Amino acid sequence: MKNLTIGALATRTGVKIPTIRYYESIGLLPEAPRTDSNRRLYDDAMVKRLRFIRHARDLGFEVEAIRQLLTLTDDPGQSCHEADALAQAHLADIESKIARLQALQEEVREMVAQCGQGQVRTCHVIEVLADHAHCLHETH
């Protein structure tokens, strides 16, 4: 399909119009050609590219990594080593975040479990938040 308006592109990809404009402004999407009345027009290649961007964002890739991955797609015959390296780095980042979240979960779970539901002056939640020495892990 050719000559999609920005609204039709948004509908086909599930990406909001301001986000599409933002991706154009930062160069993830090339600027669309315009009609005489200044309306943007998009084709199937743009639909495919925007779906790629959206899926990469849904998977948590940062804009710069997406930019690099899109550059790689411009030369499909090259080695995918760089794409793999970007994905490996992203996976390591995800695993690190999960480990930090699990440590936070453990800390808060313990804090809540030790709370006696009494008065604020003896509340373990308040005590832990006021003094890092009461934490299980160093969190600052």
Side-chain angles (χ1 to χ4, degrees), residues 88-137:
Q88 289 288 343
H90 184 53
L91 178 60
D93 186 49
I94 291 169
E95 289 169 344
S96 173
K97 288 176 183 175
I98 288 170
R100 288 191 312 267
L101 284 171
Q102 287 173 330
L104 287 173
Q105 178 185 34
E106 182 182 339
E107 187 73 49
V108 174
R109 182 178 285 137
E110 184 64 24
M111 181 175 65
V112 169
Q114 290 186 22
C115 185
Q117 303 286 320
Q119 295 178 333
V120 170
R121 77 172 134 260
T122 60
C123 179
H124 189 68
V125 171
I126 300 296
E127 184 179 309
V128 169
L129 292 174
D131 185 354
H132 282 288
H134 295 287
C135 291
L136 297 173
H137 301 95

Side-chain angles (χ1 to χ4, degrees), residues 58-105:
D58 288 347
L59 291 173
F61 282 91
E62 297 294 329
V63 168
E64 283 311 309
I66 295 170
R67 187 182 314 279
Q68 291 174 312
L69 290 165
L70 286 168
T71 299
L72 293 173
T73 65
D74 292 337
D75 185 8
Q78 67 180 315
S79 166
C80 69
H81 173 74
E82 190 177 344
D84 185 57
L86 288 166
Q88 289 288 343
H90 184 53
L91 178 60
D93 186 49
I94 291 169
E95 289 169 344
S96 173
K97 288 176 183 175
I98 288 170
R100 288 191 312 267
L101 284 171
Q102 287 173 330
L104 287 173
Q105 178 185 34

